[in-house]
Structure formats: C-alpha cells, structure tokens
Amino acid sequence: MKAIKVIFMALILIVGASSMPAQAQFKFGPKVGLTVNSMHFDKSVIDADNQTGWTAGVMTEFTVPVIGLGFDLSAMYVRRNTKFLTENNLTKDNRDYIEIPLNLKYKFSLPVVSKLLVPYLAVGPSVSFLTSRQHIENAYKNKSVDWAVNFGFGVQLFSHLDVNARYGLGLTKAVNMFNSAEAAGIEGKNRYWTISLAYLF
C-alpha cells in the first residue's frame, strides 16, 4: 500500500510538471540498467558476494537552462541478487523492489560540444519497497522498506540519450536476523552500483 501511494505521488509530480514555465525543460522516457549489489555485514561468519541484477522503469527530468540545475525522478522495478555464505551454507536471495530515486542534478555547460554531450553530477535519496519473498528460512527476514542515498555521474548525448552510473549507500537495515544473538554486530545494509540508460523525449 505504501508503494502504491509513493508511485501515485510520483505520477502527480510528473503530470504537474507539464504546467511549469516554458523556460524549465521537462523530459520523460523509459530507463533500463544493470545493478551490482552487495550486503554489508560487520560479522565474518556471514559473507555476501557481489551479484548482478537488473532494473527497468520510467524517468522524468526537470532542468532550468543556463544555470544547469535540476532534478530527476524515477519509478523503477529492481532485481537485486545476493549470495550468502552462512555457516558454510550457500544461500541465494533474489529480491525484487519498486525503487523511487530522486536526484538533484547539476549539468556542466561545455562550449562547442554542449549540443552533443552534457556531463552531470547527481545526488539524492532513494526509497525501495520489497515486492518479493519476505524471508530466508532459518536465516533472516527482508525488510519491506529500504532507504538509501545515491551519488552519481553521467552524460546526456544529443539531448535525449542519458547514460548514468550511481552508487547507492544504504541508510537502513535491509534484513533482520531471526536470532537476536546472531544479529549483534550485523549491519545488513545494501551497497550497490547501478548503470543505466534512458531515452528522454
């Protein structure tokens, strides 16, 4: 229910953007990408390997010309794959999320080539809502909501093609251990890279 509310609010923002002043540029389009995820633990008995997943969804962007400042908002379906080694047992955890990242973006204006390519930096919060299984038997429970902050960079080509890489730093625990004794010293936060490609109309 919370995920539906957030997506609904995001759609309201996207529709409302059409009424913004003409000098503010508004773009919208599909977005796909790959994710490389790891779970950060403080305890050596549990090890999580980096695993590759994928993401797909839609993205909208608002930019104020001349100063190059703006933001982008996305609604993404994300698959985060992780392998866990717990007491010498290998466990796979393929988690699906609806992720809503919001990034403040600064575009660099480069003489001559600005019509061909525009590099940018981005930073902002992200919230993910779990849509897949809730727990791994005899190990841990996946939390339904995961907050992170993203740091990214990218380039826009020919004013439409957006190539982006961002690093997500988990702010909250993505998992809870069933055994409270085992939970001591376990941070259980997501760390992930996302490389994405969007086409903006």
Side-chain angles (χ1 to χ4, degrees):
M1 184 62 68
K2 289 183 179 179
I4 295 175
K5 289 181 179 179
V6 173
I7 293 173
F8 181 70
M9 292 178 64
L11 291 175
I12 291 177
L13 287 174
I14 291 171
V15 173
S18 60
S19 62
M20 293 181 67
Q23 64 268 23
Q25 296 177 352
F26 167 69
K27 296 180 180 179
F28 175 83
K31 182 178 180 181
V32 296
L34 295 176
T35 66
V36 180
N37 181 73
S38 68
M39 295 289 291
H40 184 73
F41 291 101
D42 293 335
K43 201 172 183 181
S44 60
V45 295
I46 298 182
D47 178 49
D49 294 333
N50 289 335
Q51 293 290 300
T52 302
W54 55 271
T55 182
V58 293
M59 168 183 167
T60 184
E61 179 190 76
F62 305 88
T63 306
V64 180
V66 182
I67 64 173
L69 195 63
F71 68 90
D72 66 59
L73 176 69
S74 302
M76 308 295 296
Y77 188 90
V78 182
R79 164 64 63 89
R80 290 180 184 150
N81 299 326
T82 306
K83 285 183 180 179
F84 286 91
L85 180 62
T86 307
E87 297 179 352
N88 298 322
N89 295 321
L90 185 62
T91 301
K92 290 184 178 180
D93 182 15
N94 301 328
R95 290 164 293 136
D96 296 329
Y97 292 90
I98 297 296
E99 182 184 14
I100 313 292
L102 174 64
N103 295 304
L104 180 66
K105 181 180 289 185
Y106 179 76
K107 294 183 178 180
F108 297 91
S109 179
L110 302 177
V112 183
V113 299
S114 60
K115 291 188 182 231
L116 298 178
L117 63 90
V118 178
Y120 64 83
L121 296 175
V123 62
S126 173
V127 59
S128 299
F129 300 92
L130 185 71
T131 61
S132 59
R133 59 180 176 172
Q134 293 289 320
H135 65 85
I136 302 300
E137 187 175 358
N138 299 323
Y140 61 86
K141 178 180 180 181
N142 287 312
K143 297 189 71 173
S144 58
V145 180
D146 185 27
W147 286 91
V149 59
N150 294 315
F151 305 90
F153 60 92
V155 61
Q156 287 193 349
L157 304 171
F158 307 105
S159 300
H160 294 287
L161 198 60
D162 187 288
V163 182
N164 172 274
R166 61 185 172 92
Y167 181 72
L169 185 66
L171 300 177
T172 56
K173 283 187 176 183
V175 299
N176 278 336
M177 306 303 293
F178 286 147
N179 189 323
S180 59
E182 291 180 355
I186 295 178
E187 187 176 349
K189 295 179 180 179
N190 275 316
R191 302 285 190 270
Y192 54 88
W193 277 98
T194 303
I195 300 173
S196 60
L197 176 68
Y199 189 86
L200 304 176
F201 297 94

